[in-house]
Amino acid sequence: MNFYTISQLSQEFDISTRTIRYYEERGLIVPIRTESGQRLYTKKDRAVLKLILRGKRFGFSLEEIHEMISLFDKDRTGRKQLEKTIEYGEQKLKEVKERIDDWLQLKHEMETILEDFKTRLEELEGSE
Amino acid sequence: MNFYTISQLSQEFDISTRTIRYYEERGLIVPIRTESGQRLYTKKDRAVLKLILRGKRFGFSLEEIHEMISLFDKDRTGRKQLEKTIEYGEQKLKEVKERIDDWLQLKHEMETILEDFKTRLEELEGSE
DNA sequence: ATTTTAATTTACGTTAACGTAAAAGTCAAT
DNA sequence: ATTGACTTTTACGTTAACGTAAATTAAAAT
């Protein structure tokens, strides 16, 4: 297995090292350490980082992201655990669907307004 | 024409009066004042407030919302103004479409994962 | 007329998500 | 071995979007 240093990840994802350490502060990533204390990140850590950044783009808070990650990261071997995860996932999925509907409606309204404006512009240009 | 007081709006939209005054501080709403200095909000102010809250739900910052509102609020009587507004609107529409695609992909991934989990759960229950 | 409720301004406090800087140790290259 | 780049911890600073509280004034209700 090979590792990434903090600056390698920081460059790859175009974020500061402070940001990466901050995610660790909040318990989202936990890299291993060399004897001297330097952080080393595994492929999995890198994947988690990717997830965090993606979650951020969707507007989720670090706390929400943490919740999701830790839930999907726990061992879901037990039936109870699996059921809980599915329940949580379905709740989140519902929220996502609602979000999509909201966005679709917004899109529709914007299109309507734009059409209206374009019509007006044409009228203006026709009367010149 | 009839007006709303700040607490009427605050109750209707379930936000604090501080919040409404803050939006004014940032230049988003500008109510008229009585002689004694009390704020009075028109129907239009109320509509703007609605827009702000909606924008917030979509994750826009107050600054972005301000930008949009003031653009659509300007007199678009001139052809140049109208063209500018349309251009801006089309840019925003493009961004919204991208956002929707992102959300749709997220939804798809969540559904896939959930299906996977459900399959596992069935297997678990079948082997009892 | 007086109590109660609502409004105003001013100003300091709070939280999330980092930025920035200092001091000190460590690794890589010459 | 020394320079320079990198890393660490500690800690204070910053911005947005309000919350909270105090002091004062005005409006509404009794």
Side-chain angles (χ1 to χ4, degrees):
Chain A
M1 224 196 266
N2 62 339
F3 298 100
Y4 306 90
T5 70
I6 194 164
S7 57
Q8 276 170 359
L9 290 185
S10 121
Q11 280 171 38
E12 180 175 354
F13 295 111
D14 197 33
I15 55 181
S16 72
T17 58
R18 174 66 173 101
T19 296
I20 301 179
R21 290 196 194 96
Y22 180 69
Y23 295 158
E24 181 178 349
E25 241 177 272
R26 306 301 310 275
L28 290 148
I29 312 180
V30 189
I32 58 165
R33 303 289 189 124
T34 65
E35 265 190 28
S36 70
Q38 216 191 112
R39 279 167 248 256
L40 290 181
Y41 297 86
T42 66
K43 287 232 168 233
K44 195 184 173 188
D45 293 328
R46 184 169 164 279
V48 168
L49 185 51
K50 249 186 180 170
L51 272 180
I52 296 171
L53 297 177
R54 187 142 184 252
K56 292 233 74 195
R57 283 205 310 278
F58 283 107
F60 293 114
S61 72
L62 288 183
E63 203 170 317
E64 286 175 296
I65 297 173
H66 189 190
E67 205 184 75
M68 303 185 211
I69 290 177
S70 50
L71 201 103
F72 284 83
D73 205 42
K74 266 184 202 152
D75 74 306
R76 293 172 308 274
T77 35
R79 211 192 68 183
K80 276 267 168 194
Q81 269 304 319
L82 200 48
E83 275 170 355
K84 273 238 161 196
T85 307
I86 290 173
E87 197 181 333
Y88 177 86
E90 271 175 343
Q91 174 57 33
K92 284 285 158 190
L93 180 59
K94 199 180 137 199
E95 287 171 25
V96 166
K97 282 178 180 171
E98 282 167 11
R99 270 305 170 87
I100 291 175
D101 286 343
D102 287 347
W103 280 101
L104 284 176
Q105 207 198 323
L106 179 63
K107 180 190 157 212
H108 182 64
E109 286 167 27
M110 288 179 74
E111 283 168 344
T112 305
I113 291 178
L114 272 175
E115 281 316 306
D116 182 33
F117 283 177
K118 283 182 185 170
T119 307
R120 281 198 225 170
L121 184 60
E122 276 170 35
E123 283 168 8
L124 256 176
E125 294 186 331
S127 68
E128 265 177 335
Chain B
M1 221 195 266
N2 63 337
F3 299 100
Y4 306 90
T5 70
I6 195 164
S7 57
Q8 276 170 0
L9 289 185
S10 118
Q11 280 171 38
E12 178 175 355
F13 296 112
D14 198 32
I15 56 182
S16 73
T17 58
R18 174 68 174 98
T19 297
I20 300 180
R21 291 198 193 95
Y22 180 69
Y23 294 158
E24 182 179 348
E25 241 177 271
R26 306 301 310 274
L28 290 148
I29 313 183
V30 189
I32 59 166
R33 301 289 187 122
T34 66
E35 264 190 31
S36 70
Q38 215 191 109
R39 280 167 247 255
L40 289 182
Y41 299 85
T42 66
K43 285 235 168 226
K44 196 183 171 188
D45 292 329
R46 183 168 164 278
V48 168
L49 184 52
K50 246 185 182 171
L51 273 179
I52 296 171
L53 297 177
R54 188 143 183 251
K56 294 231 72 194
R57 284 205 308 279
F58 283 108
F60 293 114
S61 72
L62 287 183
E63 203 171 318
E64 287 175 293
I65 296 172
H66 189 191
E67 203 183 76
M68 303 186 210
I69 289 177
S70 49
L71 202 103
F72 282 83
D73 205 42
K74 267 183 201 152
D75 75 306
R76 294 173 306 274
T77 35
R79 212 190 69 185
K80 277 268 168 193
Q81 268 305 318
L82 201 47
E83 274 170 356
K84 273 239 159 191
T85 307
I86 290 173
E87 197 181 332
Y88 177 85
E90 272 176 342
Q91 174 58 33
K92 284 286 159 188
L93 180 59
K94 200 179 137 199
E95 287 171 26
V96 166
K97 282 179 181 170
E98 282 168 13
R99 268 305 167 87
I100 291 175
D101 285 345
D102 287 348
W103 280 100
L104 283 176
Q105 206 197 324
L106 179 63
K107 179 190 158 211
H108 182 66
E109 285 168 27
M110 288 178 74
E111 283 168 345
T112 306
I113 292 177
L114 271 175
E115 281 316 306
D116 182 34
F117 282 178
K118 282 181 185 170
T119 307
R120 281 199 225 170
L121 184 60
E122 275 171 35
E123 283 169 9
L124 256 176
E125 294 187 330
S127 69
E128 264 176 337

